[in-house]
């Protein structure tokens, strides 16, 4: 920006730094490149062959870890305006169910079911979310590809419909 002081020239990165990525050739966002898929299948087959003797201990460790995880759970509700907000998980489901209820009432309203949002997608991660002061509009971010590139979405909580950009 013209007129902006960017510091003395000797403090700038000089020369620019470049990073080599030896595995960049494997990037295939659509997961359809036959050469890359074949390479990954070969790598997986090799790994399975080299670690076949570890299958039983791996399964034992997995079951032990899972035994310490409470899959069906509910967070403690926090109050915001006239509502109490919380999330819950159900055994066998991969994602949270975000809920609210009017303070003092026991009628649950699911305002964002991440399991429904994730249907048909290979990746789904809800980032931040916030509800408007009127408690009628939900704004949330979601990454559907796993590259930490979040899209901002809006939902009308009175009708349950997603809003257009």
């Amino acid at each position: 920006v013209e007129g902006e002081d960017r510091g003395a020239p000797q403090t700038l990165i000089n020369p620019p730094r470049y990073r080599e990525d030896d595995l960049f050739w494997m990037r295939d966002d659509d997961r359809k490149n036959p050469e890359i898929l074949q390479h990954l299948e070969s790598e997986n087959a090799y790994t399975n062959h080299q670690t076949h003797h570890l299958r039983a201990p791996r399964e034992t460790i997995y079951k032990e870890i899972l035994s310490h995880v409470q899959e069906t759970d509910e967070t403690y509700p926090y109050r915001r305006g006239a509502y109490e907000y919380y999330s819950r998980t159900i055994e066998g489901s991969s994602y949270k169910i975000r809920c609210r209820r009017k303070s003092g009432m026991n009628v649950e309203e699911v305002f964002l079911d991440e399991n429904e949002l994730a249907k048909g997608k290979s990746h789904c991660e809800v980032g931040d979310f916030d509800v408007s002061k009127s408690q009628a509009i939900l704004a949330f971010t979601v990454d559907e590809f796993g590259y930490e590139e979040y899209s901002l979405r809006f939902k009308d909580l009175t009708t349950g419909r997603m809003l257009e950009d």
Side-chain angles (χ1 to χ4, degrees):
V1 176
E2 191 171 327
E4 184 174 313
D5 181 16
R6 301 267 178 149
Q10 63 272 17
T11 62
L12 300 175
I13 297 175
N14 192 12
R17 296 181 186 170
Y18 296 98
R19 182 179 305 170
E20 291 240 356
D21 183 358
D22 296 332
L23 301 176
F24 183 78
W25 69 272
M26 288 183 64
R27 181 164 181 166
D28 179 21
D29 294 340
D30 297 326
R31 311 289 194 268
K32 294 180 181 173
N33 184 325
E35 179 185 352
I36 293 172
L37 293 175
Q38 175 59 41
H39 177 77
L40 293 174
E41 287 170 5
S42 298
E43 288 284 335
N44 287 339
Y46 175 79
T47 300
N48 288 336
H49 176 74
Q50 294 296 322
T51 62
H52 74 279
H53 64 285
L54 300 173
R55 284 190 185 136
R58 182 171 48 222
E59 187 65 28
T60 302
I61 292 169
Y62 175 75
K63 286 179 181 177
E64 181 180 342
I65 290 171
L66 202 56
S67 73
H68 295 283
V69 174
Q70 187 174 345
E71 290 187 74
T72 299
D73 200 8
E74 187 174 299
T75 62
Y76 190 80
Y78 63 92
R79 189 171 182 173
R80 179 158 182 194
Y83 289 91
E84 295 175 346
Y85 288 85
Y86 59 98
S87 64
R88 57 186 173 87
T89 54
I90 298 173
E91 185 175 349
S93 296
S94 299
Y95 301 98
K96 292 180 182 178
I97 300 170
R98 299 188 186 268
C99 310
R100 70 180 185 173
R101 61 181 169 239
K102 286 208 175 201
S103 294
M105 306 284 279
N106 279 332
V107 179
E108 178 179 84
E109 176 187 339
V110 174
F111 68 89
L112 186 62
D113 185 344
E114 295 178 17
N115 295 288
E116 290 294 320
L117 192 64
K119 279 189 179 172
K121 298 176 179 74
S122 60
H123 179 85
C124 184
E125 181 181 350
V126 172
D128 290 332
F129 74 94
D130 200 4
V131 180
S132 64
K133 288 183 181 183
S134 68
Q135 309 289 302
I137 304 291
L138 170 68
F140 66 97
T141 58
V142 62
D143 172 16
E144 296 178 339
F145 302 103
Y147 296 123
E148 297 180 3
E149 295 175 1
Y150 292 85
S151 302
L152 180 61
R153 305 265 178 87
F154 296 94
K155 183 176 182 179
D156 184 336
L157 296 179
T158 58
T159 65
R161 288 189 5 244
M162 297 299 290
L163 301 174
E164 297 294 323
D165 293 340

